[in-house]
Amino acid sequence: MNKQLYLNVIEETDTYKRYGKVHRVVGLMIESKGPVASIGDLCFIHTPSESNKKIAAEVVGFHHENLLLMPYLEIKEIGPGSLVEATGEPLQIKAGLGLIGQVLNSMGQPLDEQKLPKGLKTHPTDQKPPNPLERPTIKEPIQVGVRPIDSLLTVGKGQRIGIFAGSGVGKSTLLGMISRNSSADVNVIALIGERGREVREFIENDLGPEGLKRSVVIVATSDQPALMRVKGAYTATAISEYFREQGYNVNLLMDSVTRFAMAQREIGLATGEPPTTKGYTPSVFATLPKLLERTGTSKEGSITAFYTVLVDGDDLNEPISDTVRGILDGHFVLDRKLAEQGRFPAINILKSISRVMNQITDSKHKQFAEQLRALLATYEENNELIQIGAYKRGSSREVDEAIQYYPSIINFLKQGVHEESSFEKSVESLKQLFS
């Protein structure tokens, strides 16, 4: 029986390799006559040089009957007539527990050019999100290890959060704190479109040796082709999905979704898509939900995802921010004014929200969190009057109470970068604030 099964597989196997030839190169795009391939398939372009290197490229479109390919690497050695070999399948990566502690590129290969550990399984980078009816509801909180988040913006296992901030307001530092202090089993960290200088700084300073011991880091720097930056996001999500399938609670931290969208825009414009909102192509707004919906809960485990969104000119209503905010289950807004005042983390509590907090916290916790928000909002509304001395004590009981509690609230919202605070400790500190 088994012998016949093997014979059938051998008979059905296509033993031919199919080739095409490079026809022309325009900007980022390589046009080739043949081979037969589908959108998303991986192809190899053979260089005519003596080294006979193979450059990986992906089919991203068609022009008449020609393939439009985009390379993962630079295209310096490609010439007219270079052979294009079809693989007949999309990019596959290797995933497994052996990846923990590794720093990888977008194709899942170690960045230090060492060999991958043994015992890894092949895993596709592009997958469909779980069936909505097979997703368990979010019922329990996960420890983030950042006091203002755990107490006032409680995150659930499998929740997807957007961290919205301009440049230099403390996104990377906050991600480092979450990856070190969170109660998740594994961290998968994707640095998409980062400056090359910041990669090692993040790994050594923000993440640290303790954080790296339970993390997989995927890096696609800003100088790499657009396809590598897009694939970096897909590879990180695929590795997270692998760990979720094994029953782990995973943290996916992606910095940043905006640079992923910019890379997708580059690809769209190169394939001839029309620019629409702020130059972004329609494929950007089609791709974002597909990427972001892959995380969350499943029958086996959960992926709690934190996506940073680089807010252009601190404008929270620009197209990418608006789209991402509509897809995710909550958003944390990092405020430049708070960062300038020396407050870290610079989370603007009043502008931030966790959409699942009410269903995963007890009534006492919710009551104290609402009380703090109300006091903070009252103080902010009357801030100008208080600062110039125009407010007289006794005019309003609510304002008097807000002024009384304000120094304690600000002290509570501050947390040192290497200060540890468990979920229970954060909630207890919130309750003690009003006792």
Side-chain angles (χ1 to χ4, degrees):
M1 178 67 182
N2 285 343
K3 186 180 176 184
Q4 188 58 45
L5 190 68
Y6 287 127
L7 288 170
N8 290 342
V9 171
I10 292 166
E11 280 177 24
E12 289 169 12
T13 303
D14 187 357
T15 55
Y16 289 96
K17 280 191 176 181
R18 287 168 170 75
Y19 292 93
K21 283 189 175 181
V22 170
H23 174 54
R24 66 172 187 158
V25 176
V26 182
L28 305 171
M29 204 61 61
I30 299 162
E31 197 172 315
S32 78
K33 291 188 173 181
V36 175
S38 306
I39 292 280
D41 277 4
L42 178 68
C43 292
F44 289 107
I45 302 168
H46 294 255
T47 61
S49 61
E50 290 177 13
S51 59
N52 194 25
K53 278 200 311 188
K54 292 200 294 185
I55 295 174
E58 188 174 300
V59 181
V60 292
F62 304 101
H63 182 250
H64 301 304
E65 292 181 4
N66 294 346
L67 294 184
L68 295 179
L69 300 157
M70 187 165 269
Y72 288 106
L73 302 170
E74 290 183 4
I75 55 175
K76 285 179 183 173
E77 296 177 27
I78 294 170
S82 293
L83 287 179
V84 180
E85 177 192 339
T87 63
E89 57 183 26
L91 177 68
Q92 306 262 354
I93 56 155
K94 298 281 187 181
L97 288 173
L99 291 183
I100 296 173
Q102 297 274 353
V103 182
L104 311 172
N105 66 13
S106 299
M107 299 177 82
Q109 296 299 318
L111 214 59
D112 57 7
E113 298 182 353
Q114 299 293 315
K115 284 188 177 179
L116 280 169
K118 291 180 181 177
L120 303 179
K121 291 184 178 177
T122 303
H123 202 70
T125 58
D126 200 355
Q127 298 195 84
K128 288 182 179 177
N131 185 320
L133 294 179
E134 291 179 1
R135 284 184 186 268
T137 54
I138 298 168
K139 290 179 179 172
E140 58 177 310
I142 187 169
Q143 175 184 302
V144 174
V146 181
R147 191 163 48 242
I149 296 174
D150 282 338
S151 57
L152 303 169
L153 301 161
T154 312
V155 176
K157 275 182 189 171
Q159 189 175 352
R160 299 158 307 143
I161 291 287
I163 300 173
F164 293 76
S167 53
V169 187
K171 295 187 303 298
S172 299
T173 312
L174 182 60
L175 290 184
M177 276 183 79
I178 293 169
S179 53
R180 288 196 312 273
N181 302 339
S182 170
S183 60
D185 303 316
V186 184
N187 296 312
V188 179
I189 302 165
L191 303 176
I192 310 298
E194 281 289 318
R195 304 172 189 89
R197 174 187 63 82
E198 289 186 340
V199 172
R200 194 161 174 181
E201 278 184 15
F202 177 83
I203 293 166
E204 291 181 2
N205 302 338
D206 296 328
L207 188 59
E210 286 302 311
L212 188 59
K213 274 182 192 172
R214 58 191 191 104
S215 301
V216 183
V217 184
I218 292 90
V219 176
T221 50
S222 58
D223 59 300
Q224 291 182 337
L227 195 60
M228 281 292 263
R229 283 174 272 146
V230 167
K231 282 293 162 192
Y234 284 133
T235 298
T237 307
I239 292 170
S240 302
E241 286 167 330
Y242 171 83
F243 286 123
R244 179 174 65 185
E245 284 168 19
Q246 307 307 309
Y248 291 101
N249 291 315
V250 187
N251 267 356
L252 171 63
L253 304 105
M254 191 178 292
D255 186 16
S256 71
V257 170
T258 310
R259 293 195 179 110
F260 164 82
M262 287 174 173
Q264 184 61 44
R265 175 174 64 182
E266 278 183 50
I267 295 169
L269 291 171
T271 53
E273 278 191 79
T276 52
T277 319
K278 271 205 172 179
Y280 287 102
T281 55
S283 65
V284 174
F285 301 103
T287 308
L288 277 171
K290 287 178 185 173
L291 175 72
L292 303 178
E293 286 290 348
R294 284 169 64 181
T295 53
T297 56
S298 78
K299 289 184 291 184
E300 294 85 16
S302 68
I303 301 172
T304 308
F306 298 87
Y307 298 99
T308 70
V309 182
L310 196 62
V311 182
D312 198 12
D314 295 333
D315 175 18
L316 287 168
N317 296 316
E318 57 98 29
I320 299 303
S321 303
D322 216 28
T323 305
V324 171
R325 195 167 56 231
I327 297 166
L328 299 178
D329 313 315
H331 53 270
F332 303 158
V333 178
L334 301 190
D335 198 321
R336 193 175 295 280
K337 283 183 184 175
L338 300 181
E340 286 166 356
Q341 291 167 14
R343 269 174 59 182
F344 182 82
I347 301 169
N348 188 322
I349 298 297
L350 300 177
K351 288 183 180 177
S352 305
I353 192 167
S354 167
R355 291 181 183 167
V356 303
M357 182 176 173
N358 285 343
Q359 65 206 48
I360 57 171
T361 52
D362 59 51
S363 55
K364 279 282 183 191
H365 183 170
K366 277 185 279 197
Q367 180 191 329
F368 286 120
E370 285 166 11
Q371 193 175 344
L372 189 147
R373 274 180 176 269
L375 289 169
L376 201 55
T378 303
Y379 189 92
E380 292 298 330
E381 281 171 22
N382 298 277
N383 187 29
E384 287 185 14
L385 291 174
I386 296 164
Q387 294 300 325
I388 63 172
Y391 174 75
K392 288 183 181 177
R393 283 187 181 274
S395 304
S396 164
R397 189 170 59 82
E398 287 84 3
V399 178
D400 287 347
E401 199 178 1
I403 292 169
Q404 180 195 337
Y405 279 106
Y406 189 71
S408 306
I409 290 171
I410 296 307
N411 197 42
F412 172 78
L413 295 176
K414 284 183 182 178
Q415 185 174 340
V417 175
H418 296 286
E419 181 187 340
E420 291 184 15
S421 181
S422 67
F423 180 82
E424 293 77 15
K425 192 177 170 185
S426 297
V427 176
E428 191 56 40
S429 299
L430 174 66
K431 291 175 180 175
Q432 284 175 3
L433 200 65
F434 298 106
S435 60

